[in-house]
Amino acid sequence: MGKIIAIANQKGGVGKTTTAINLAASMAALEYKILIVDADPQANSTSGFGFDVRNIKTGVYECLVDDVLASDIILTTEIEGLGILPSNIDLVGAEIEMLNLPNREKKLKQVLEEVRDNYDFILIDCSPSLGLLTVNALSAADSVIIPVQCEYFALEGLGKLLNTVKIIQSRLNPDLEIEGFLLTMYDSRLRLSNQVVEEVKKHFQEMVFDTIIQRNVKLSEAPSFGKPALLYDVNSKGSVNYLNLGRELLQKNGKTMIPDSQKIVE
């Protein structure tokens, strides 16, 4: 049975979609079967894999509202073993339409149960809000990765997110765990970046991933070519960072033991 991991932070621009796309690509490259679920109405994960969002007629919205089977609409990507449950702008209306549905917080969980056994990991790219779509993602997930950008106000709003996680744990999904805090957009030249790293590690200690995602031009350029960084430039810092994150996550979940000597070093 595949492990479901939500990638969430209600703050926009912290690297949620970049992490979803590149972590999924890295884990698939390490020969695991991965599904990425685009639960963000902006559909950036969908376009980030080269799909034209305007041509996506059936996606997460139809699964949630019209009970379309996920297995019928999963798209295959360029990377072997990596599929995507796509999204389009229709998903904006899902929160309103789901309000009167029974078990509305667990619709995504029901959708994913059908395909869960086909994958090693399912990654959910959440929308930048704490609305019903994110609540659905956290109710469906076994754990959550929280990206934190190494910039001013980094810790702002994290309390609200952690409070939401606590509420979900107490009312909807007692098994939900925090997989880890992921530091993103790190620039070693900036004192501020180093201060944020120190502060996040001081607050959350062993819950912070060892891998830090550095600010990287190739990582920013890759989505406009509809590719993860791994396919756009395999030797870029961004690719190396996310491959290391993939390895760390797999190791954490007992899937593989990689000696430090084999770790990719920038």
Side-chain angles (χ1 to χ4, degrees):
M1 191 162 71
K3 181 170 188 176
I4 301 176
I5 303 175
I7 299 169
N9 189 331
Q10 79 274 21
K11 223 168 171 303
V14 298
K16 279 189 298 293
T17 300
T18 301
T19 295
I21 290 172
N22 290 290
L23 180 57
S26 297
M27 290 165 86
L30 293 166
E31 299 183 359
Y32 286 85
K33 284 208 78 181
I34 309 294
L35 176 67
I36 184 166
V37 178
D38 194 346
D40 182 353
Q42 294 174 81
N44 290 336
S45 278
T46 304
S47 60
F49 278 104
F51 297 103
D52 187 340
V53 177
R54 292 165 299 184
N55 295 333
I56 303 291
K57 301 295 179 233
T58 319
V60 173
Y61 170 83
E62 285 74 17
C63 292
L64 294 172
V65 177
D66 300 329
D67 296 325
V68 167
L69 290 179
S71 54
D72 291 341
I73 62 163
I74 287 170
L75 303 172
T76 51
T77 67
E78 277 184 81
I79 298 175
E80 194 181 339
L82 175 56
I84 182 165
L85 189 57
S87 180
N88 58 24
I89 195 65
D90 290 349
L91 195 55
V92 168
E95 298 209 343
I96 296 163
E97 293 192 46
M98 286 161 69
L99 281 176
N100 299 318
L101 295 177
N103 251 351
R104 62 186 183 191
E105 295 92 354
K106 297 203 171 176
K107 293 298 286 180
L108 187 59
K109 184 181 174 73
Q110 291 162 14
V111 169
L112 296 181
E113 282 304 317
E114 182 236 340
V115 295
R116 188 172 185 160
D117 288 344
N118 303 338
Y119 297 94
D120 296 305
F121 289 90
I122 296 175
L123 303 181
I124 308 174
D125 181 17
C126 296
S127 60
S129 77
L130 291 178
L132 193 50
L133 282 172
T134 299
V135 167
N136 259 269
L138 294 174
S139 298
D142 298 303
S143 65
V144 54
I145 290 175
I146 302 169
V148 181
Q149 84 280 37
C150 296
E151 290 173 5
Y152 200 60
F153 295 137
L155 297 179
E156 195 186 60
L158 274 189
K160 211 182 224 178
L161 175 61
L162 294 173
N163 199 36
T164 302
V165 168
K166 267 190 196 144
I167 292 167
I168 302 273
Q169 285 168 329
S170 63
R171 298 184 193 168
L172 295 165
N173 184 1
D175 299 326
L176 180 67
E177 295 178 342
I178 292 176
E179 189 76 41
F181 291 84
L182 175 66
L183 290 155
T184 63
M185 303 180 193
Y186 173 75
D187 187 338
S188 58
R189 297 166 303 177
L190 299 179
R191 198 171 68 188
L192 177 64
S193 275
N194 293 303
Q195 284 172 343
V196 171
V197 170
E198 276 173 39
E199 208 170 327
V200 172
K201 285 188 171 174
K202 189 174 77 186
H203 274 76
F204 302 111
Q205 295 160 1
E206 72 283 348
M207 292 166 80
V208 183
F209 282 104
D210 291 334
T211 307
I212 295 177
I213 309 301
Q214 290 166 283
R215 212 175 253 293
N216 179 238
V217 175
K218 301 287 185 190
L219 211 48
S220 309
E221 286 175 357
S224 61
F225 291 87
K227 294 176 185 290
L230 204 60
L231 292 183
Y232 180 60
D233 183 352
V234 70
N235 296 314
S236 68
K237 254 186 193 158
S239 294
V240 171
N241 288 165
Y242 276 109
L243 269 168
N244 279 337
L245 178 65
R247 287 166 178 248
E248 186 179 349
L249 185 63
L250 289 166
Q251 208 163 345
K252 204 174 177 189
N253 284 280
K255 289 282 187 187
T256 184
M257 294 304 286
I258 298 151
D260 284 342
S261 59
Q262 282 182 26
K263 225 179 161 200
I264 302 172
V265 199
E266 295 109 81

